[in-house]
Amino acid sequence: MKLGFISLGCSKNTIDTEMMLAHLDNASYEITGNAEDADVILINTCGFIGDAKEESIETIKEIARLKKSGKLKKLIVTGCLVERWKDKILTVLPEIDAVTNLAGIHQIVDIVRQSFEKNKLTYFEDYEKTPIEGERLRSDDAPGVFLRISEGCNNCCSYCAIPRIRGRYRSRTIESIIEEAQDLQDCGAKEINLIAEDTARYGIDLYKDYCLEKLLHRLGKETDIPWIRIFYCYPDKITDGLIAQIRDNPKVLPYIDMPIQHINDTVLKRMNRHTNKKQIKSVIEKLRSEIPNIVIRTTLIVGFPGETDEQFQELLDFVQETKFNRLGAFTYSREEGTPAYDFKDQIEDSLKQERLDALMTMQAQISLSNQQSCIGQIRTVLCEGFDELENMYFGRDFSNGPDVDGKVFFKARHPVIKIGDFISVKITQADEYDLFGQAL
């Protein structure tokens, strides 16, 4: 029996998918990348915001057509969409043969088998009692790998459905994380990217203290992976010890992803963010003072209910002043089951889009200036492949995280550069998001 997989959404979903792939591979199922050739297809959905939900639904409907045109016998759906709407998903999407919430990750072999025995199979258990680690079957050969250090979230931001989907915050043990990092190293990983809903909170539930700095220290000592990168650090939990690890640990890249969402104190309070403008500015100043070459990435939300023109202008002024190295922004998405869904002062979609366009136009100019300052520098680049269209190799330097940032494209006289090689590249050109150069 051949199984096909489709993984939608974030890197955490990809990790869930890879754990399910490992279970099925160990059970001797044949994994195929060709949907037309699959007897069973599993879709790991995203349901974080409206656009993601629509993408998941359209994918389910599209794949379901293979029951008529291909070999497909069973369509199984899991992931965040199921976790969030498990009481209605089979009614809305009768094309599905079996559904499981996130708790089904380690039961996926039985779920596949039982889908042939029972019509409209459902498997719903308590995800908070489900182990969040396990063997993974890598879905690609990229040298940069995501490693999840915790699951769930206790922040309960007023716009966010994650606590309802992923549950309370649960840290993995340091030992289990190091063991997985060593396994990834043995499989050829050259970069691990630490992810969670809130990485800076790591350890507080298990060890009664923030332990990200301790984890970084041990990863640096107990693995040979050259690059360690940190994502999703909330600004109110960035400690002096964590800053010292980024500054002094030679394997930890001078890069931090720090989502702030807004800068106006009133908006932050209504978002139920546990920080304020003064704290955000203070931690940015400290990071740049202690680590002069640090790259700071952030994400912002525009058009949150009640956001006034003045509050949005305050955000624009702050972005212009701060000049973030990397910045992603989104319009507010009104999500059922969140406190902000019922806020009375919702903003029209057209105004939200107008504000997003203004913000990203400003950031494009900031980014271009930042990028052009790299011209003439020599950067160490982790090679990720060769672009046949551009006739250039491509990869990332320390300033570019996987999936969310740009690339470094480079020409090389040496004919045998492999994926996973570290290459010295002299930067000769730059645009808003990518760098271009010549391998030395």
Side-chain angles (χ1 to χ4, degrees), residues 70-179:
K71 292 177 57 181
L72 184 64
K73 298 177 182 68
K74 295 293 177 179
L75 175 56
I76 301 173
V77 176
T78 184
C80 293
L81 186 75
V82 178
E83 189 74 56
R84 194 169 177 190
W85 284 285
K86 52 179 172 275
D87 59 332
K88 62 177 90 169
I89 188 166
L90 281 176
T91 303
V92 175
L93 294 165
E95 302 95 330
I96 299 171
D97 297 294
V99 293
T100 174
N101 66 340
L102 298 168
I105 289 171
H106 301 296
Q107 308 300 324
I108 195 64
V109 173
D110 287 338
I111 291 167
V112 171
R113 288 172 180 161
Q114 291 174 23
S115 71
F116 283 87
E117 302 167 2
K118 183 179 178 182
N119 187 37
K120 302 301 180 186
L121 175 70
T122 60
Y123 179 92
F124 299 134
E125 295 295 336
D126 185 354
Y127 180 55
E128 291 189 2
K129 296 179 181 178
T130 302
I132 57 175
E133 60 276 305
E135 182 184 353
R136 295 164 59 183
L137 179 64
R138 291 287 308 282
S139 54
D140 61 38
D141 60 354
V145 187
F146 289 100
L147 199 168
R148 177 169 54 196
I149 64 174
S150 69
E151 178 62 298
C153 189
N154 291 354
N155 291 311
C156 297
C157 299
S158 65
Y159 53 82
C160 185
I162 289 296
R164 292 182 64 231
I165 298 172
R166 296 272 175 176
R168 62 183 173 82
Y169 194 87
R170 295 182 288 152
S171 299
R172 297 175 57 181
T173 64
I174 290 178
E175 288 72 24
S176 76
I177 295 169
I178 291 173
E179 182 180 357

Side-chain angles (χ1 to χ4, degrees), residues 8-23:
L8 303 173
C10 67
S11 51
K12 299 180 222 33
N13 255 24
T14 302
I15 291 171
D16 291 339
T17 297
E18 291 178 346
M19 286 197 290
M20 288 187 280
L21 284 171
H23 284 300

Side-chain angles (χ1 to χ4, degrees), residues 290-308:
E290 295 287 333
I291 314 164
N293 66 329
I294 193 165
V295 169
I296 301 177
R297 154 170 276 283
T298 197
T299 50
L300 301 171
I301 295 173
V302 300
F304 188 76
E307 182 189 55
T308 65

Side-chain angles (χ1 to χ4, degrees), residues 253-314:
L253 297 174
Y255 176 109
I256 189 166
D257 175 62
M258 185 181 70
I260 64 171
Q261 311 305 2
H262 214 280
I263 199 60
N264 175 266
D265 284 339
T266 299
V267 175
L268 289 169
K269 187 173 182 179
R270 297 192 79 207
M271 287 179 166
N272 198 36
R273 300 287 291 182
H274 307 296
T275 188
N276 57 43
K277 182 176 184 176
K278 182 178 179 181
Q279 291 172 329
I280 291 169
K281 294 185 72 170
S282 176
V283 74
I284 291 171
E285 290 169 4
K286 183 173 288 189
L287 283 165
R288 286 179 166 169
S289 172
E290 295 287 333
I291 314 164
N293 66 329
I294 193 165
V295 169
I296 301 177
R297 154 170 276 283
T298 197
T299 50
L300 301 171
I301 295 173
V302 300
F304 188 76
E307 182 189 55
T308 65
D309 290 341
E310 292 76 19
Q311 290 165 345
F312 175 66
Q313 186 61 49
E314 183 180 349

Side-chain angles (χ1 to χ4, degrees), residues 185-393:
Q185 170 188 303
D186 292 342
C187 293
K190 300 296 180 67
E191 171 193 36
I192 54 174
N193 299 275
L194 302 184
I195 56 171
E197 301 301 339
D198 182 357
T199 52
R201 184 186 286 268
Y202 172 74
I204 193 68
D205 53 321
L206 282 184
Y207 306 112
K208 311 307 176 188
D209 196 9
Y210 297 133
C211 293
L212 182 55
E213 60 188 86
K214 182 178 180 180
L215 174 63
L216 290 169
H217 174 75
R218 289 193 57 181
L219 283 169
K221 294 292 185 182
E222 298 177 43
T223 75
D224 295 324
I225 295 175
W227 282 4
I228 301 171
R229 189 186 304 271
I230 311 168
F231 280 92
Y232 309 126
C233 275
Y234 280 52
D236 54 303
K237 304 179 192 73
I238 296 177
T239 63
D240 289 345
L242 175 56
I243 294 174
Q245 272 296 312
I246 301 172
R247 181 190 65 214
D248 301 332
N249 189 328
K251 293 181 179 177
V252 179
L253 297 174
Y255 176 109
I256 189 166
D257 175 62
M258 185 181 70
I260 64 171
Q261 311 305 2
H262 214 280
I263 199 60
N264 175 266
D265 284 339
T266 299
V267 175
L268 289 169
K269 187 173 182 179
R270 297 192 79 207
M271 287 179 166
N272 198 36
R273 300 287 291 182
H274 307 296
T275 188
N276 57 43
K277 182 176 184 176
K278 182 178 179 181
Q279 291 172 329
I280 291 169
K281 294 185 72 170
S282 176
V283 74
I284 291 171
E285 290 169 4
K286 183 173 288 189
L287 283 165
R288 286 179 166 169
S289 172
E290 295 287 333
I291 314 164
N293 66 329
I294 193 165
V295 169
I296 301 177
R297 154 170 276 283
T298 197
T299 50
L300 301 171
I301 295 173
V302 300
F304 188 76
E307 182 189 55
T308 65
D309 290 341
E310 292 76 19
Q311 290 165 345
F312 175 66
Q313 186 61 49
E314 183 180 349
L315 180 63
L316 284 180
D317 292 342
F318 174 72
V319 169
Q320 182 66 57
E321 170 193 334
T322 306
K323 292 180 171 53
F324 288 101
N325 306 84
R326 307 282 184 257
L327 185 149
F330 308 89
T331 57
Y332 164 73
S333 178
R334 191 182 184 191
E335 296 301 313
E336 296 175 49
T338 63
Y341 182 85
D342 296 319
F343 288 180
K344 302 300 182 185
D345 41 7
Q346 302 288 328
I347 292 175
E348 292 289 332
D349 288 345
S350 57
L351 180 55
K352 287 191 282 189
Q353 188 61 48
E354 181 182 314
R355 289 177 176 175
L356 178 65
D357 292 344
L359 174 60
M360 294 313 296
T361 297
M362 171 185 287
Q363 178 59 28
Q365 293 303 311
I366 293 170
S367 181
L368 180 60
S369 177
N370 286 337
Q371 293 280 95
Q372 288 177 336
S373 70
C374 302
I375 293 174
Q377 296 180 7
I378 297 173
R379 293 286 180 91
T380 299
V381 176
L382 177 58
C383 182
E384 295 180 305
F386 185 80
D387 188 317
E388 299 283 354
L389 187 63
E390 297 291 339
N391 196 33
M392 300 176 80
Y393 292 94

